[in-house]
Amino acid sequence: GIEMSLERPLFIFEMANNHQGSVEHGKRIIREIRKVCDKFPEFDYAFKFQYRDLDTFIHPDYKDRTDIKNVKRFKDTRLDMTQFGELMKEVKDNNFLAVCTPFDEVSADRIAEQGYDYIKIASCSFNDWPLLERIASKKMPVIASGAGSSMGDVNSVVSFFRNRGIELSLMHCVAEYPTKNEQLQLNQIDYYKSEFPDIQIGFSTHE
């Protein structure tokens, strides 16, 4: 079975590019969120970062394009590993758990080296098997979002980590931001819980 280590509900705050390429701005976000969390001590909290090896992640033909919003945003908010390390220290100093999503194999290596508590699989990477193999090799607890995935794919991913004895949490996710109430499909959470009683089930959204 897969050991479940979380005893209380865990809220994860997405940093993504919200730091705007500034370590100080990122630190302020972390400190301000801590003040809010202190009012609700019955829960656990984490901050999540996203790692992309931008030198290889962006295709050479597109690296200088400013008309593609994601390329421009990733480049404009780029931080190096030393800067991410500073933000990671701020997360730990403020008693948050640390989570990070890799979008490529090099980033999975960096996450393991920096000592994160959880490694997160984005819904867009749910069937990226070379990436899943690299993530599994780290033997870290995994949180995976299954948005848009068939139950066949979900079963495959659950079996993949279960067979390797890796702690897994599965997140119901509707990849529509913001999501209208009638599109939330929250009954999927009960379905996951009945299908995978040994796995912690969560909900991923960007509201």
Side-chain angles (χ1 to χ4, degrees):
I2 299 171
E3 181 184 348
M4 303 195 329
S5 64
L6 289 174
E7 296 178 359
R8 306 193 299 177
L10 174 66
F11 286 84
I12 301 174
F13 302 106
E14 175 69 80
M15 180 66 80
N17 305 98
N18 294 324
H19 49 68
Q20 299 176 4
S22 163
V23 171
E24 285 310 311
H25 185 63
K27 287 181 176 179
R28 184 179 168 212
I29 290 171
I30 294 162
R31 290 192 291 264
E32 293 296 325
I33 293 286
R34 183 70 260 174
K35 291 177 188 174
V36 177
C37 294
D38 285 344
K39 299 175 184 176
F40 304 96
E42 63 270 30
F43 303 112
D44 288 323
Y45 302 97
F47 255 95
K48 184 168 83 68
F49 297 95
Q50 298 180 0
Y51 281 6
R52 295 170 179 85
D53 185 45
L54 290 180
D55 295 330
T56 59
F57 187 78
I58 301 172
H59 191 282
D61 293 349
Y62 290 81
K63 64 183 176 63
D64 295 321
R65 294 277 293 271
T66 57
D67 58 322
I68 302 173
K69 68 174 184 178
N70 285 342
V71 171
K72 185 177 189 311
R73 186 171 81 238
F74 293 156
K75 291 184 70 176
D76 288 351
T77 61
R78 181 173 188 155
L79 296 177
D80 61 30
M81 285 300 107
T82 300
Q83 292 171 308
F84 274 121
E86 286 187 61
L87 289 177
M88 167 80 147
K89 183 178 185 302
E90 192 72 26
V91 163
K92 292 295 188 177
D93 286 350
N94 282 275
N95 295 314
F96 288 107
L97 292 167
V99 185
C100 194
T101 303
F103 287 89
D104 48 72
E105 290 89 329
V106 171
S107 294
D109 295 341
R110 289 173 177 159
I111 289 168
E113 289 163 7
Q114 288 197 299
Y116 280 85
D117 298 295
Y118 290 89
I119 193 163
K120 169 76 168 50
I121 298 168
S123 52
C124 63
S125 304
F126 198 75
N127 283 323
D128 183 345
W129 288 103
L131 180 58
L132 299 191
E133 288 278 3
R134 186 68 66 89
I135 288 171
S137 74
K138 305 307 172 188
K139 303 295 183 186
M140 293 173 61
V142 170
I143 301 170
S145 288
S149 301
S150 68
M151 276 311 295
D153 288 340
V154 173
N155 278 308
S156 294
V157 169
V158 169
S159 295
F160 175 80
F161 287 107
R162 183 184 273 149
N163 292 340
R164 286 158 179 77
I166 293 170
E167 180 187 331
L168 176 69
S169 300
L170 185 62
M171 309 281 271
H172 166 55
C173 177
V174 180
E176 178 186 339
Y177 309 123
T179 311
K180 299 187 179 85
N181 283 349
E182 59 268 23
Q183 298 295 330
L184 285 172
Q185 308 292 335
L186 292 181
N187 59 330
Q188 187 77 7
I189 294 172
D190 288 332
Y191 181 69
Y192 277 168
K193 287 170 86 169
S194 65
E195 286 291 302
F196 310 112
D198 60 333
I199 292 176
Q200 289 183 314
I201 306 300
F203 177 51
S204 174
T205 185
H206 286 204
E207 271 65 39

